[in-house]
Amino acid sequence: MDKVFFTPHRTLFLMLAITGISFLISHDSAMGQLAGIGTLLLAGAKGRLVLLDFMELRHAPALWRWGFEGGLLAVTALLAVLYLAGGR
């Protein structure tokens, strides 16, 4: 049972769940632009999981971790702003 909650397995389960949620959100036509923003935010969350667990930044020095997470946050925010600006 301990192997099921091993970090890579937990991360894969979370990524599958996030993928399912983003699929449900993106196919709901009533949500409109909110669906696109939600999908982008969920993609950012998946990117963070990849950075922390598969690139092993969870145990990296704080400066490296903050740099990569800050970069991911900046790219996610930029894409969200561009998405919202393109809808006008």
Side-chain angles (χ1 to χ4, degrees), residues 10-66:
R10 183 189 67 223
T11 302
L12 284 174
F13 290 143
L14 284 171
M15 289 181 72
L16 283 171
I18 291 171
T19 301
I21 292 167
S22 64
F23 178 79
L24 292 173
I25 288 174
S26 67
H27 284 78
D28 186 5
S29 61
M31 290 187 72
Q33 251 186 349
L34 192 59
I37 293 297
T39 303
L40 282 172
L41 293 177
L42 288 171
K46 285 174 65 173
R48 185 171 187 270
L49 286 172
V50 169
L51 284 175
L52 292 178
D53 294 325
F54 293 118
M55 293 178 65
E56 297 185 6
L57 284 177
R58 190 176 300 278
H59 305 292
L63 188 59
W64 280 96
R65 183 175 172 171
W66 294 341

